[in-house]
Structure formats: structure tokens, C-alpha cells
Amino acid sequence: MQEETVELEELHIEDANTKVKKEYEKILIREQNRQKNVKAQNLVKLGCFEQKEEKSVDFSVLDKITYEKQYQKVYDLYEDRDGNLMYIYAKTEGESAKPYAYDVIYIETLSDEDYKKIYKASTFEGAALARGLYITTFVMWIVSIVITLSIIIYYLASGDYDFINVLINSISYLFFIAIITALLAITDVSYRKYIGK
């Protein structure tokens, strides 16, 4: 009887280790799929693709790369045996489930080094505009704070208003500072995205 109990316990331990390993593999596959999706979307944005309408597609030689949502809400990402990526959208007519054609976006296959070079080069193209917007917003933020503080100090120094009335009269200026602060945060994030930080 004791031997049977020991065997059951060992079997249970092996099963637990196998389950942990499978979950680990799922996490790795999900991360690989995320990276492939990001790369494919960036290459399409950079113009590294060719779009064609195909009458039929052999899905037996393709692996579907699933991650969160579809590209432009309709395209699924696939990878062939050679590592080439493509977006495929099945065109259907009416209520028919059978597609009459496939819209295929063939993504150019680039080495990781070439992809990084192209992505970096395209990122810096809009950096000057983003930097200009960031600096302009920062200057407006500083000026609005200085003007608001000047008005508050003027009201308090004149002695005609108490502190509560000064805040009530300055509420529109404070609201403007809040708007400029939000714009500054947005331009800061955009600028950091362009320069890759």
C-alpha cells in the first residue's frame, strides 16, 4: 500500500512540473508573437511591403501569429516556413462565409540590423517638429505661470481683495495652466518617442 501512495505522489509532482513548463512556454510564445506584430506594423508604416489580391492562399504552409488585436481590425498576421511575414484578410460577400479572394500584404524580410537602421532613420525624421512643439509648449507653460503669479501678487499687494477672492478671480488662469501642463506632458512623451528614450 505504501508503495502505491509514493508512486501517486511522484506522479503528482511530475504533473505539476510539466504544467509550470507549459505556462512558461506560453509566455515566451506570446512575447515572440508581440515582437513579430510590432515589427510587422512598423515595416508596413515604413512602406516595406507589397499588397496584392490573391484568389487563394495555402494556409497549410502558414503559421498564424496571434497577439491581442488584428491589424486595422481585419488583418491577421501569418508567417511562412521561411520566416516571411504577411497580413491576410479574407474577403467575403454578403452572408457567405467562404471568401472569394484574399487581400495579402507581403512584408519585406529584413535582417534585424537593417530593420533597426530603417526604424531609427524614420524615427528621427519627425524629431525636429516634435522638439519644436515641446519647446513651444514649455515656454508657454513658464509664461502662463509667471503671468498668473504676477496677477495674484498684484491683487494681494493692492489690498482690495482677500486671498479667497484672488483665487476666485484667478481661476481661469489656473485652468489655463492645467491645460498647458497636459499639453506639455503629451509633447514630452511624443518627443521622447521620436528620439527613442
Side-chain angles (χ1 to χ4, degrees):
M1 287 291 204
Q2 288 179 343
E3 288 180 13
E4 289 180 14
T5 306
V6 171
E7 287 178 16
L8 287 175
E9 287 177 9
E10 287 177 7
L11 181 63
H12 181 67
I13 291 170
E14 288 175 12
D15 188 33
N17 288 340
T18 306
K19 189 172 184 179
V20 171
K21 186 176 179 184
K22 286 183 180 178
E23 190 62 33
Y24 177 73
E25 289 173 351
K26 287 178 188 177
I27 292 170
L28 286 177
I29 290 170
R30 198 170 27 235
E31 176 59 20
Q32 288 172 352
N33 288 351
R34 184 193 68 79
Q35 289 175 359
K36 287 177 183 178
N37 272 276
V38 168
K39 184 176 181 179
Q41 288 179 21
N42 287 337
L43 286 171
V44 170
K45 287 177 190 173
L46 294 171
C48 301
F49 70 94
E50 183 180 354
Q51 190 167 5
K52 291 182 181 178
E53 185 173 297
E54 303 285 352
K55 295 294 179 195
S56 65
V57 174
D58 185 9
F59 287 99
S60 65
V61 296
L62 300 176
D63 294 324
K64 189 173 182 179
I65 310 298
T66 56
Y67 183 73
E68 289 186 1
K69 57 184 178 178
Q70 296 174 312
Y71 178 65
Q72 293 184 347
K73 299 182 181 178
V74 293
Y75 288 93
D76 289 316
L77 183 64
Y78 290 88
E79 184 177 28
D80 66 9
R81 302 290 184 244
D82 297 327
N84 299 317
L85 296 172
M86 62 197 74
Y87 282 114
I88 300 176
Y89 164 60
K91 295 182 175 183
T92 56
E93 203 169 78
E95 295 180 11
S96 172
K98 186 176 180 183
Y100 64 90
Y102 296 92
D103 188 15
V104 183
I105 301 174
Y106 295 100
I107 300 167
E108 289 186 31
T109 305
L110 298 174
S111 67
D112 288 340
E113 185 178 317
D114 290 340
Y115 169 70
K116 287 177 185 174
K117 285 179 184 177
I118 290 173
Y119 185 73
K120 191 172 183 179
S122 70
T123 304
F124 279 99
E125 282 185 9
L129 176 64
R131 184 171 190 251
L133 287 172
Y134 173 69
I135 290 172
T136 303
T137 309
F138 186 75
V139 169
M140 287 175 58
W141 184 68
I142 295 292
V143 168
S144 66
I145 289 174
V146 169
I147 290 172
T148 303
L149 288 175
S150 300
I151 290 171
I152 290 172
I153 291 170
Y154 172 75
Y155 282 146
L156 290 173
S158 69
D160 295 337
Y161 301 98
D162 61 354
F163 187 72
I164 305 267
N165 286 334
V166 170
L167 285 178
I168 291 171
N169 289 336
S170 304
I171 197 84
S172 61
Y173 299 110
L174 296 173
F175 184 68
F176 183 71
I177 289 174
I179 291 173
I180 292 293
T181 303
L183 284 174
L184 181 64
I186 291 169
T187 55
D188 181 49
V189 168
S190 299
Y191 179 60
R192 287 177 187 275
K193 180 183 173 188
Y194 272 108
I195 62 174
K197 288 187 178 177

